Structure formats: structure tokens, C-alpha cells
Amino acid sequence: MSLLFKSRQNSNDKQKKSVFSGGYFFIINIFRQGVYSLGEMWRTPLASMMTIAVLGLSLTLPATLYLVVKNVQQVSSGFEQASEISLFVKEDMSEQETQTLVKRLALYPEIQSVTFISRTEALDEFKEMSGFGQALEYLDSNPLPNVVLVTPTQRHSQPNAAKLLLKKLEGEREVDFGKLDIAWLERLNALLSLLKESVITIALLLLTSVTLIIGNTIRLSIMDKKEEIQVMKLVGATNTFIHAPFLWTGIWYGVIGGLFAFICVALMMWWLSAAVSSVAGIYQTSFTLIGLSLNEFGALVLLATSLGFIGSYLSVNRYISEIEPDKV
């Protein structure tokens, strides 16, 4: 009995080892075919580079549009809380009454901060900013009113909430009228939304074209090796063995095309950075273009690889199945 159990145990161990070794050699064979497909691309460098360039340029445009949206959002992020309300105080109100108004407004739960600008400070600032300092010296009196600047909380900085707050503040007896310059912010948000939708639409079209380009390239490669595939099927090669090199070719096209697109985007951002800095200097501001981060770079390469795999997979399933040994 012990010999019987021992023989069964040995057979089980052999079966486990065979399964393990089979899986190991299967994985090794898959990677070997990946290296082989990369070598096939190397043997036709001109055709491979042209395909990679087309894929890279097709991916460069949506990546560039994405960076345009990203940088525009960076510029507009400082304006998201720009719903600042200017309250013009009545002329017959003294500065002490205005200070009382400021203290009362600071207690509003909808208000984050309150700043008082006296008419004297307003006139001095206008002289400095307008360039009419000498001409304003001839005025008999200061025509500017006292102004109270109110900054709403983040919750009440949205257009509708800010408008309701303005209406409420105009009810204060010391306030002559208020002004909320938020219409331009609504237009800016609408333009940003339109830009995002346009980028998504263009990106979908270009990504679809990338998939079709890879699929057509793999189709041509399959047709070129039609007789070789027929012989492989005739000698009993599995579908996995036949499909793998073509799938790897699509993956390599996607990986290298994604790297090519990243290099193009990086060069474009470097080329435009000097021009953007020059424009920002004219407006006495500083602005630095934001490129692709490490995560975005990984997402770009992963997306390109996925498109390469999908395009090659569609062609492999469509055309290799039609090639049969009896048609040799």
C-alpha cells in the first residue's frame, strides 16, 4: 500500500511540475515572440518609422489640446473666486458710519472678508493707474465715493449665489448701489466648457483614426505573410502562437508612438515657453506653461499601447481566421 501511495504522490508532483513548467514556457514564448516582432519592425525601419510617426502625430494633437485646456484652467483658476462685490457708499455718509457698515458686513456668514477703500485712497490709486495725476490736481473736490469691497465665501462665489448676496447688500441703508462684475466669468466658464467638449470630440476622432491605422498596418502584414500562416496552420500551430507576433507588433507601435507623441509635445511646449513668457512680461505678470506630468505621460503611453493592441486584435481576429491551409 505504501508503494502505491508513493507512486500516486510522485505522479501528482510530476503533474504539478509539468503544469508549472508549461505555464513558464508559455510566458517565455510569448515574450520571445514580442522580441521577434520588434526585430521584424527593425528589419523594415522606413515603413515602421513612417507608421510610428503617423501614430505619434495623431496622438500629439489631442495631447496638445489637453495641455491648452490645462493651462487655460491654470490662468482662469485665479478668477474662479473673482465674484468680488463693490459697494459704493452714499456721499452723505461719514467715514465713521462707513466703518460701522464694514463691521456689520464682516458678521455676515456669506462674506469671507471686507475691505474699506476711502475716497482719498481711491483717488490716489486712480492717479497712479490712469496717468492723469497732474490733470486731477486741478479738481476742486474728490468726485470718488467711499467703496467697500466684499469677498464672498467659496460657497457664495458662484454666479447665482453672488447675485443674491449683492441684492441683499444693496438693502443696507449706507449703500448707494453695488456692482458685481461676474458676467465675464460666466462667459469664460462657458468658453472653457466649449473648449473641453471640442477637445474630447477631436480626441475621440483622432484616437479612432489611430486604431484604424494600426489595424490596417497589421492587415497588410498578415496579407504579406499569408502563405507562412497557411503552412503554420497546416503543421498544427495554435491560434495563440500565430496571433502573438501580430498582437505584439500592434503593442510596439502603440508604445513607440506614445513616446514619439510625448517627445513632440515636450518640444512644442519648450518652443512656445519663450513666446508665452514674452507675452506675460508685456502684461507685467509671470506665467509658466505646464507640460505633461509623470502620471499623464504614463497615461498617454498606456492609451497608445491599448489602441495598438485593440487595432491589431481586430485585424488578427478578422483576417487570420479567413486563412486556411486548404487554400494553399
Side-chain angles (χ1 to χ4, degrees):
M1 293 295 292
S2 61
L3 292 175
L4 179 60
F5 289 142
K6 185 175 181 180
S7 63
R8 289 181 177 178
Q9 184 178 3
N10 291 335
S11 64
N12 290 335
D13 292 340
K14 290 180 181 179
Q15 186 176 3
K16 290 180 180 178
K17 289 181 180 179
S18 63
V19 172
F20 175 76
S21 61
Y24 172 77
F25 284 111
F26 175 78
I27 295 174
I28 292 297
N29 184 57
I30 291 295
F31 282 100
R32 185 180 300 165
Q33 288 178 316
V35 176
Y36 170 78
S37 64
L38 189 61
E40 285 289 317
M41 294 172 59
W42 182 259
R43 293 185 187 93
T44 56
L46 183 60
S48 298
M49 288 304 300
M50 289 180 64
T51 303
I52 291 170
V54 172
L55 299 179
L57 294 176
S58 299
L59 292 170
T60 298
L61 183 55
T64 304
L65 293 176
Y66 167 77
L67 288 180
V68 169
V69 175
K70 184 178 179 180
N71 284 275
V72 171
Q73 286 180 329
Q74 179 193 5
V75 175
S76 63
S77 61
F79 303 142
E80 292 297 328
Q81 305 301 327
S83 54
E84 190 176 63
I85 300 175
S86 301
L87 299 177
F88 297 91
V89 182
K90 296 178 180 178
E91 293 185 5
D92 56 348
M93 293 293 169
S94 63
E95 187 170 334
Q96 184 177 0
E97 290 176 316
T98 306
Q99 291 291 351
T100 303
L101 172 65
V102 171
K103 293 178 181 178
R104 189 165 66 251
L105 294 179
L107 300 177
Y108 276 49
E110 304 95 335
I111 296 176
Q112 179 178 346
S113 63
V114 182
T115 304
F116 171 62
I117 301 178
S118 65
R119 60 179 63 191
T120 303
E121 294 174 346
L123 183 60
D124 293 338
E125 183 178 355
F126 182 73
K127 288 180 180 179
E128 182 179 354
M129 299 295 295
S130 65
F132 297 106
Q134 295 181 351
L136 294 176
E137 295 292 341
Y138 295 97
L139 293 176
D140 295 332
S141 61
N142 186 354
L144 301 179
N146 293 322
V147 180
V148 177
L149 299 179
V150 175
T151 303
T153 59
Q154 183 176 4
R155 180 181 176 183
H156 293 83
S157 294
Q158 302 302 320
N160 293 332
K163 290 177 181 178
L164 293 176
L165 180 59
L166 172 63
K167 187 175 181 180
K168 180 179 180 181
L169 295 177
E170 286 181 331
E172 297 289 342
R173 64 180 184 84
E174 296 91 350
V175 177
D176 188 7
F177 65 95
K179 187 172 180 59
L180 175 63
D181 292 329
I182 203 170
W184 65 272
L185 184 58
E186 293 176 331
R187 298 189 188 100
L188 177 61
N189 290 333
L191 289 174
L192 281 177
S193 179
L194 177 61
L195 182 60
K196 290 178 184 177
E197 296 295 331
S198 301
V199 168
I200 292 174
T201 303
I202 295 173
L204 289 176
L205 293 175
L206 289 174
L207 295 181
T208 303
S209 68
V210 168
T211 305
L212 296 176
I213 291 170
I214 294 177
N216 186 62
T217 303
I218 300 300
R219 181 186 69 83
L220 295 176
S221 179
I222 292 173
M223 294 297 103
D224 186 55
K225 298 181 179 180
K226 180 178 179 180
E227 295 181 356
E228 181 180 342
I229 294 172
Q230 288 174 329
V231 173
M232 292 171 67
K233 285 190 174 184
L234 189 62
V235 298
T238 62
N239 288 331
T240 302
F241 183 83
I242 299 174
H243 292 179
F246 299 103
L247 295 176
W248 270 109
T249 302
I251 291 174
W252 286 125
Y253 277 135
V255 171
I256 303 174
L259 294 174
F260 185 85
F262 173 76
I263 294 173
C264 291
V265 171
L267 291 176
M268 189 179 302
M269 298 299 291
W270 171 77
W271 179 267
L272 293 176
S273 60
V276 172
S277 299
S278 177
V279 173
I282 295 176
Y283 291 94
Q284 298 180 352
T285 59
S286 60
F287 180 76
T288 303
L289 287 174
I290 301 177
L292 293 174
S293 64
L294 183 61
N295 292 335
E296 292 167 341
F297 164 68
L300 176 62
V301 176
L302 180 61
L303 176 62
T305 305
S306 302
L307 294 175
F309 176 79
I310 292 172
S312 59
Y313 180 80
L314 294 175
S315 289
V316 164
N317 278 355
R318 171 69 175 81
Y319 295 103
I320 290 184
S321 61
E322 296 180 352
I323 302 176
E324 295 298 335
D326 57 358
K327 298 179 182 180
V328 177

